[in-house]
């Protein structure tokens, strides 16, 4: 039976070889046929390389015979290697090179819903060897590649401007073709179909992979540089932090740069080519240098049975692909001397050692780390380097599931190892190697070495103290990085000392020491306490130079934390308006988190408005000025500031008054930044104060600029009436806006005006304020005006206001729960911000 199978297999191989020879000059038309054709040729080559009786490939005869029949009988297909002028290649379509070796189309890396145009090997399911739109992903499946009527090669998609790969003023009869080399070429053709000129090719814009006959170097005439740039992660093709190319300093060598700094160099070409790549028999490397160009390239033998390529990966390694293996040929992150040849030593701070290792573990950290912004465009290698260069950093990880972004932790955070699917993998520094000598001294010395043991303990204590100080400096540096501006250190050592930090130009903030703040407030005495909110207590203070300040100290029991602290510091530092409170600086020391503001001598609006003995100090003219100032501040936040901010916690207690009773909006801990094109978002974390929150926000978690408009409407009615929105003192109603609506419908709207004012209001102005306030508190956000429209309504008497509809929160039989002392954990009225409530 074995002999029979041998004879049958030999006959099969003979037929297969003869069939493939017949097909050598045949160009298959369908994608399936092309794939079969290419794999059949590869299989024949593989068969020729191994003995007939011992080669496992002989058992694959029947699948390949099926491919042969499909090849013969397959009908004409739309798949082609050419995209003609006026044609489109949509998401899901492909171009195949003539022999089916390469294909071009749209793909989605990882689990993202973003598409890229790429080229990859037709029988290799690994990542693309070339990507067109690396830093401009296309959302969804709307991508289209086309050669337009003018000969331009461009990518189009439903949401956004076209991505132009090549632009020409006018070229008729152009087409793009995918070659068997993997090169995608845009050509201008003569009327007879011959090539007139090549306009553009993908080989001139490499990604992270060098294919045979591609160039890596410099075109001296055009100034074009051929170089590879790594992906930012294994799943994201965006430009990474490593670049491989020719050394531009005139030295005939290759180099890898890491964010602009030399990371590795090959050495002179004559010796380095043989040393680095000479051991690969199937690769023939060469170095070409003449008056026109200088470049490095390679070719492969015709009978090579694998898909040859050189790749620069996201770790900065050069990979060479061999049959069934992927060999790192350059790797500066390994300890193998053969792979590290040419690596440039990376400078580390004195607190670090080259032997410091990070261990990959699954679990969670005890505190929130510092996450770098998206604009930093950091890879995991960048994150490791940032952690190593910071003496206080003990752990790092990527912030996104696709391996991008960076979050680091300082030494005040501990790690708990757990194996749960939803937890992240974190790289923890292994300190066992660094402290083994301490334990050796303790064990070996015994009781006879007590003085030495005492010295060691003192050194450890001193080191921990220094590490704690470094941790504090790290926190300050992290916050300074987010603030993005100059900072002035404000310390107190017997006299005032100021020291400038060399940072980027921007808002000027002071870093206050805890000692200076404690001294300014007489150790936070109750006599200097101005009040207390959701963040914590607020104190009045005076610096040594006589400047009065307001000090907001985060309470340890507060529901707000470092996120809200940074949010407020960063926002107020970057916002500049006469009706926004001005921040002077901050303090982070130990468990203390403190914000320092300009001092407002007249405290907050509710201090006057809701106190029977002080509200008469607010005459009508001052109330109108306060309304106008709050409105102008909100218009700036919503429309004119560079951040476009929704406050989310606007209320009378967050409106501060200066010595001229001008209003200043404060407390941005709950604020939310919107993009330039954003209109609304949904959040599961609802923050704010009952009575001021819009219904769609309080009940559905939908936040928009109209959320602040609703709060402003409530404050406007409170200023006019002198009464709180939620109060038992508003007639028989629970809500001021409900009472105002009833009076409006009955034609008695002016009865809501505060009667305790020393001078009467102007009736037309009061009616316009009430009218605008009711428009602001409409139940549906779409019915509310924008803040720009509200300011226009209040300032222009000739502007005709639309009739208001029934406001929100009015329902027969519905009562707003009264907040008593035993319910303050679930309810807040004016004074205390709710950090988080559940959405109904």
């Amino acid at each position: 039976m074995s002999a029979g199978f041998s004879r049958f297999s030999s006959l099969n191989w003979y037929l297969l070889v003869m069939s493939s020879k017949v097909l050598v000059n045949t160009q298959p038309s369908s994608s399936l046929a092309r794939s079969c054709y290419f794999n059949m040729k590869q299989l024949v080559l593989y068969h020729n390389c191994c003995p007939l009786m011992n080669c496992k490939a002989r058992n694959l005869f029947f699948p390949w015979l099926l491919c042969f029949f499909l090849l013969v009988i397959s009908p004409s297909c739309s798949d082609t290697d050419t995209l003609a002028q006026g044609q489109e290649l949509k998401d899901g379509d492909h171009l195949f090179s003539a022999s089916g070796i390469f294909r071009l189309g749209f793909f989605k890396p990882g689990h993202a819903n973003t598409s890229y145009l790429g080229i990859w090997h037709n029988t290799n399911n690994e990542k693309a060897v070339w990507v067109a739109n690396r830093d401009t992903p296309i959302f969804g499946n709307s991508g289209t590649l086309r050669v337009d009527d003018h000969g331009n090669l461009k990518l189009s998609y439903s949401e956004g401007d076209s991505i132009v790969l090549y632009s020409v003023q006018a070229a008729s009869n152009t087409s793009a073709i995918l070659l068997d080399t993997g090169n995608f070429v845009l050509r201008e053709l003569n009327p007879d179909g011959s090539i007139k000129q090549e306009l553009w090719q993908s080989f001139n814009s490499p990604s992270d992979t060098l294919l045979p006959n591609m160039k890596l170097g410099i075109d001296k005439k055009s100034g074009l540089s051929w170089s590879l740039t790594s992906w930012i992660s294994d799943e994201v093709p965006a430009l990474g932090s490593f670049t491989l190319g020719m050394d531009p300093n005139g030295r005939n060598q290759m180099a890898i740069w890491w964010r602009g700094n030399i990371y590795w160099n090959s050495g002179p070409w004559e010796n380095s080519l043989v040393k680095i790549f000479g051991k690969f028999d199937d690769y023939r490397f060469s170095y070409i240098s003449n008056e026109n160009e200088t470049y490095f390239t390679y070719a492969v033998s015709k009978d090579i049975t694998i898909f040859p390529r050189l790749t620069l990966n996201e770790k900065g390694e050069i990979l060479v692909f061999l049959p069934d293996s992927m060999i790192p040929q350059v790797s500066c992150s390994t300890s193998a001397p053969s792979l590290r040849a040419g690596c440039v030593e990376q400078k580390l701070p004195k607190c670090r050692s080259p032997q410091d290792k990070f261990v990959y573990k699954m679990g969670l950290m005890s505190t929130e780390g510092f996450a770098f912004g998206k604009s930093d465009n950091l890879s995991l290698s960048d994150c490791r380097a940032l952690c190593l260069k910071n003496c206080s950093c003990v752990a790092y990880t990527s912030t996104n599931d696709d391996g991008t972004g960076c979050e680091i932790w300082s030494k005040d955070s501990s790690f708990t190892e757990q194996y749960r699917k939803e937890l992240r993998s974190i790289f923890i520094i292994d300190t066992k190697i660094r402290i083994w000598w301490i334990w050796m001294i303790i064990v070996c010395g015994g009781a006879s070495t007590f003085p030495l043991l005492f010295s060691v303990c003192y050194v450890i204590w001193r080191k921990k103290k220094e590490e704690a100080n470094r941790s504090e400096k790290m926190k300050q540096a992290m916050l300074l990085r987010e603030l993005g501006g100059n900072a002035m250190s404000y310390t107190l050592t017997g006299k005032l000392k100021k020291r400038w930090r060399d940072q980027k130009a921007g808002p000027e903030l002071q870093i206050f020491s805890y000692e200076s703040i404690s001294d300014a407030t007489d150790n936070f005495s109750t006599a200097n306490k101005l009040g207390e909110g959701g963040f914590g207590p607020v104190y009045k203070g005076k610096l040594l130079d006589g400047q009065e300040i307001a000090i907001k100290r985060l309470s340890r029991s507060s529901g707000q934390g470092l996120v809200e602290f940074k949010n407020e510091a960063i926002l107020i530092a970057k916002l500049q308006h006469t009706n926004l409170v001005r921040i002077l600086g901050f303090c982070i020391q130990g468990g203390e988190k403190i914000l320092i503001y300009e001092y407002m001598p007249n405290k907050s609006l509710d201090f006057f408005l809701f106190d029977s003995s002080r509200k008469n100090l607010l005459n009508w003219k001052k109330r109108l000025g306060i309304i106008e100032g709050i409105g102008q501040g909100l218009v700036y936040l919503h429309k004119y500031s560079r951040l476009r901010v929704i406050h989310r916690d606007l209320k009378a207690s967050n409106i501060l008054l200066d010595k001229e009773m001008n209003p200043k909006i404060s407390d941005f801990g709950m604020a939310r930044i919107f993009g330039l094109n954003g209109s609304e978002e949904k959040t599961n974390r609802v923050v704010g104060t009952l009575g001021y929150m819009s219904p769609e926000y309080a009940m559905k978690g939908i936040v928009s600029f109209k959320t602040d408009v609703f709060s402003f409407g409530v404050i406007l009615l409170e200023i006019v009436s002198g009464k709180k929105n939620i109060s038992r003192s508003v007639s028989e109603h629970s809500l001021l806006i409900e009472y105002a609506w009833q009076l409006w419908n009955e034609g008695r709207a002016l009865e809501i005006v505060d009667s305790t004012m020393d001078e009467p209001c102007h009736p037309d102005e009061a009616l316009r304020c009430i009218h605008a306030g009711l428009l602001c508190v409409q139940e549906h956000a779409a019915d509310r005006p924008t803040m720009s429209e509200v300011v226009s309504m209040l300032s222009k008497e000739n502007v005709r206001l639309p009739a208001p509809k029934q406001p929100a929160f009015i329902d027969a039989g519905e009562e707003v729960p009264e907040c008593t002392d035993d319910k303050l954990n679930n309810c807040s009225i004016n004074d205390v911000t709710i950090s988080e409530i559940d959405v109904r």
Side-chain angles (χ1 to χ4, degrees):
M1 182 176 180
S2 175
F5 182 81
S6 174
R7 289 193 297 273
F8 182 71
S9 297
S10 300
L11 177 61
N12 288 340
W13 274 112
Y14 175 77
L15 291 174
L16 181 60
V17 172
M18 291 300 101
S19 300
S20 66
K21 289 181 178 179
V22 172
L23 297 172
V24 167
N25 297 318
T26 302
Q27 179 173 323
S29 57
S30 72
S31 59
L32 178 59
R34 291 179 188 207
S35 181
C36 290
Y37 170 75
F38 175 70
N39 284 294
M40 191 183 297
K41 291 203 300 181
Q42 295 286 57
L43 186 60
V44 171
L45 291 173
Y46 184 44
H47 173 265
N48 293 336
C49 294
C50 63
L52 182 64
M53 297 301 296
N54 297 326
C55 185
K56 294 182 180 179
R58 66 187 183 186
N59 297 327
L60 301 177
F61 168 72
F62 290 105
W64 293 109
L65 184 61
L66 176 61
C67 277
F68 170 72
F69 282 114
L70 288 173
L71 181 64
V72 173
I73 66 174
S74 63
S76 178
C77 180
S78 60
D79 292 331
T80 177
D81 60 358
T82 302
L83 185 67
Q85 192 165 6
Q87 287 185 333
E88 291 185 345
L89 184 79
K90 298 182 179 179
D91 196 315
D93 298 335
H94 293 90
L95 294 183
F96 290 85
S97 64
S99 299
I101 302 174
F102 289 95
R103 72 180 185 269
L104 177 145
F106 291 93
F107 71 98
K108 291 184 174 66
H111 303 288
N113 191 33
T114 52
S115 300
Y116 298 85
L117 179 72
I119 299 172
W120 59 99
H121 198 258
N122 197 22
T123 60
N124 188 294
N125 292 322
E126 296 179 4
K127 66 182 188 180
V129 298
W130 179 80
V131 182
N133 53 319
R134 299 185 66 176
D135 283 330
T136 316
I138 296 171
F139 292 93
N141 303 314
S142 63
T144 300
L145 175 68
R146 66 191 305 265
V147 181
D148 67 13
D149 296 337
H150 301 288
N152 300 314
L153 184 64
K154 60 173 64 175
L155 280 170
S156 303
Y157 55 105
S158 59
E159 298 179 2
D161 299 329
S162 296
I163 303 168
V164 179
L165 302 182
Y166 177 79
S167 176
V168 63
Q169 290 184 349
S172 60
N173 197 17
T174 59
S175 63
I177 183 171
L178 179 62
L179 304 178
D180 276 335
T181 59
N183 194 11
F184 187 45
V185 183
L186 181 67
R187 295 170 170 173
E188 184 177 12
L189 306 178
N190 293 311
D192 62 357
S194 60
I195 300 173
K196 181 178 181 180
Q197 62 174 327
E198 289 188 349
L199 302 173
W200 172 91
Q201 57 179 321
S202 63
F203 270 19
N204 282 341
S205 304
S207 292
D208 67 331
T209 299
L210 193 71
L211 298 176
N213 302 313
M214 286 180 69
K215 298 176 180 179
L216 202 65
I218 301 171
D219 186 328
K220 298 176 182 178
K221 284 189 173 182
S222 66
L224 180 67
S225 175
W226 302 295
S227 61
L228 304 182
T229 302
S230 64
W231 287 24
I232 193 171
S233 77
D234 190 50
E235 295 185 10
V236 182
L239 291 172
S241 50
F242 293 97
T243 301
L244 171 65
M246 286 284 294
D247 191 332
N249 298 320
R251 293 185 290 269
N252 293 332
Q253 64 178 5
M254 278 197 303
I256 296 177
W257 293 267
W258 186 5
R259 290 190 171 268
N261 298 317
I262 292 288
Y263 180 69
W264 170 88
N265 59 67
S266 65
W269 284 108
E270 291 75 14
N271 299 324
S272 63
L273 276 177
V274 176
K275 181 175 64 178
I276 300 171
F277 301 112
K279 56 186 174 183
F280 303 112
D281 296 334
D282 293 324
Y283 290 77
R284 298 192 300 273
F285 297 93
S286 57
Y287 167 67
I288 312 297
S289 183
N290 53 48
E291 60 182 7
N292 296 325
E293 54 189 4
T294 297
Y295 62 89
F296 159 80
T297 188
Y298 70 99
V300 292
S301 57
K302 292 183 179 180
D303 58 349
I304 189 170
T305 59
I306 54 104
F307 166 41
R309 63 218 186 266
L310 267 65
T311 297
L312 178 68
N313 70 7
E314 69 279 0
K315 300 176 184 177
E317 300 174 329
I318 301 178
L319 307 180
V320 177
F321 290 81
L322 296 175
D324 302 322
S325 64
M326 177 183 65
I327 301 177
Q329 200 53 31
V330 170
S331 179
C332 295
S333 59
T334 183
S335 56
S338 60
L339 300 183
R340 290 189 56 85
C343 293
V344 177
E345 185 177 355
Q346 303 299 304
K347 293 182 178 180
L348 294 173
K350 293 181 179 179
C351 61
R352 298 295 193 191
S353 165
Q355 284 73 41
D356 285 345
K357 303 296 180 184
F358 286 93
V359 181
Y360 180 82
K361 293 184 178 181
M362 182 79 72
L364 48 86
M365 303 298 290
S366 61
T367 64
E368 180 182 316
F370 175 76
F372 292 84
K374 290 184 179 179
S375 60
D376 291 311
N377 200 35
L378 298 175
S379 66
L380 197 59
S381 296
D382 299 327
C383 195
R384 181 182 184 276
L386 287 170
C387 188
L388 271 177
K389 290 179 180 179
N390 193 310
C391 295
S392 295
C393 182
V394 295
Y396 72 93
T397 190
S398 53
T399 54
N400 305 312
D401 293 337
D402 57 17
T404 61
C406 178
E407 184 173 0
I408 61 177
W409 285 268
S410 60
K411 294 181 179 179
D412 57 355
S413 182
S414 59
F415 174 77
T416 302
E417 189 168 8
Q418 293 183 12
Y419 292 91
R420 295 208 311 266
K421 190 175 182 180
E422 67 274 13
L423 295 180
R424 288 187 294 175
S425 298
I426 300 176
F427 293 86
I428 310 294
I429 195 164
D430 188 2
T431 58
K432 295 178 182 178
I433 300 175
R434 300 180 63 191
I435 62 173
W436 67 269
W437 57 273
I438 298 177
W439 291 108
M440 183 174 290
I441 292 174
I442 294 174
V443 172
C444 297
S448 61
T449 58
F450 178 78
L452 180 59
L453 179 62
F454 177 81
S455 300
V456 170
C457 291
Y458 175 77
V459 169
I460 295 174
W461 172 82
R462 185 71 178 268
K463 187 174 182 181
K464 285 187 174 293
K465 187 176 180 180
E466 291 175 355
E467 289 175 350
N469 292 335
R470 283 197 296 266
S471 178
E472 293 302 321
K473 292 178 181 178
M474 177 182 176
K475 291 178 181 177
Q476 291 186 355
M478 287 176 178
L479 188 54
L480 281 173
R481 182 183 178 90
E482 290 198 50
L483 292 172
N486 287 335
M488 182 165 61
S489 181
Y490 197 115
T491 58
L492 192 69
T493 55
K495 62 179 181 177
L496 195 65
K497 292 184 178 180
K498 296 180 180 179
R499 178 173 58 85
W500 290 93
R501 289 182 182 267
D502 186 16
Q503 298 282 346
K504 297 178 182 177
E508 185 179 299
L509 287 178
Q510 296 174 5
I511 307 173
F512 291 80
S513 70
Y514 180 79
E515 290 77 13
S516 66
I517 300 301
S518 177
D519 185 77
T521 58
D522 193 15
N523 197 23
F524 299 98
S525 69
T526 54
N528 287 320
K529 189 174 181 179
L530 298 174
E532 187 160 356
F535 186 98
V538 181
Y539 297 87
K540 178 184 178 181
K542 181 180 285 189
L543 300 175
L544 289 182
D545 58 3
Q547 182 182 8
E548 290 185 320
I549 56 175
I551 298 161
K552 184 189 279 190
R553 185 184 191 189
L554 176 64
S555 172
R556 295 178 186 270
S557 62
S558 170
Q560 302 180 46
L562 184 60
V563 173
E564 289 82 3
F565 176 87
K566 291 194 296 185
N567 196 39
E568 180 156 4
I570 293 167
L571 275 178
I572 301 182
K574 294 183 178 180
L575 299 175
Q576 300 292 327
H577 192 269
T578 185
N579 293 116
L580 302 182
V581 70
R582 186 166 64 92
I583 190 171
L584 302 178
F586 61 90
C587 170
I588 304 176
Q589 187 168 325
E592 295 287 347
K593 300 178 183 68
I594 300 170
L595 294 172
I596 295 91
Y597 299 90
E598 59 178 334
Y599 175 65
M600 295 286 109
N602 283 319
K603 299 187 179 181
S604 58
L605 177 59
D606 64 327
F607 179 75
F608 291 91
L609 196 58
F610 305 135
D611 187 277
S612 57
S613 63
R614 289 187 288 263
K615 65 168 57 182
N616 61 334
L617 298 176
L618 296 177
N619 58 33
W620 180 246
K621 184 178 180 180
K622 288 180 180 178
R623 296 192 191 206
L624 279 182
I626 292 172
I627 292 171
E628 179 186 0
I630 300 171
Q632 293 290 354
L634 287 176
V635 169
Y636 168 77
L637 290 176
H638 290 184
K639 189 174 182 180
Y640 296 113
S641 76
R642 54 177 171 165
L643 298 178
R644 300 191 75 219
V645 175
I646 300 175
H647 190 281
R648 288 207 298 176
D649 196 21
L650 199 67
K651 55 187 175 182
S653 60
N654 284 339
I655 307 299
L656 304 183
L657 302 173
D658 65 12
K659 59 182 179 180
E660 281 85 26
M661 302 298 281
N662 296 313
K664 308 263 188 179
I665 301 174
S666 69
D667 202 342
F668 286 79
M670 305 300 179
R672 194 179 188 95
I673 301 174
F674 258 47
L676 293 177
N677 299 319
S679 58
E680 71 173 31
E681 291 180 1
K682 186 168 183 179
T683 178
N684 290 325
R685 185 170 184 255
V686 176
V687 295
T689 305
L690 293 179
Y692 293 93
M693 287 191 288
S694 62
E696 74 277 2
Y697 178 47
M699 298 179 183
K700 298 179 182 179
I702 297 175
V703 60
S704 69
F705 294 109
K706 298 296 182 71
T707 304
D708 282 352
V709 173
F710 184 93
S711 302
F712 176 77
V714 174
I715 294 175
L716 197 160
L717 293 174
E718 287 182 336
I719 292 173
V720 171
S721 66
K723 298 178 176 65
K724 292 184 179 182
N725 184 30
I726 300 180
S727 174
R728 291 298 184 187
S729 63
V730 183
S731 184
E732 72 278 7
H733 301 281
S734 300
L735 292 173
L736 174 63
I737 56 177
E738 183 179 4
Y739 182 48
W741 173 246
Q742 177 186 331
L743 294 179
W744 178 270
N745 282 333
E746 296 173 358
R748 301 185 294 127
L750 288 176
E751 292 183 17
I752 202 174
V753 177
D754 191 354
S755 59
T756 64
M757 286 187 288
D758 291 340
E759 58 184 42
C761 67
H762 193 289
D764 290 342
E765 291 178 342
L767 279 173
R768 183 168 287 271
C769 287
I770 297 169
H771 194 165
L774 289 172
L775 289 173
C776 290
V777 295
Q778 297 292 279
E779 182 168 7
H780 300 291
D783 294 332
R784 298 173 211 146
T786 64
M787 280 310 306
S788 298
E789 293 169 338
V790 174
V791 170
S792 180
M793 291 175 184
L794 295 173
S795 60
K796 297 179 181 179
E797 296 181 1
N798 59 345
V799 175
R800 187 172 181 179
L801 278 59
K805 301 176 184 178
Q806 178 173 292
F809 296 124
I810 298 182
D811 185 6
E814 179 185 6
E815 288 195 14
V816 177
E818 181 180 5
C819 286
T820 56
D821 291 340
D822 59 341
K823 295 181 180 179
L824 283 178
N825 290 329
N826 301 316
C827 184
S828 175
I829 300 179
N830 294 345
D831 296 325
V832 181
T833 298
I834 299 176
S835 295
E836 186 169 357
I837 64 175
D838 293 329
V839 181
R840 289 183 285 160

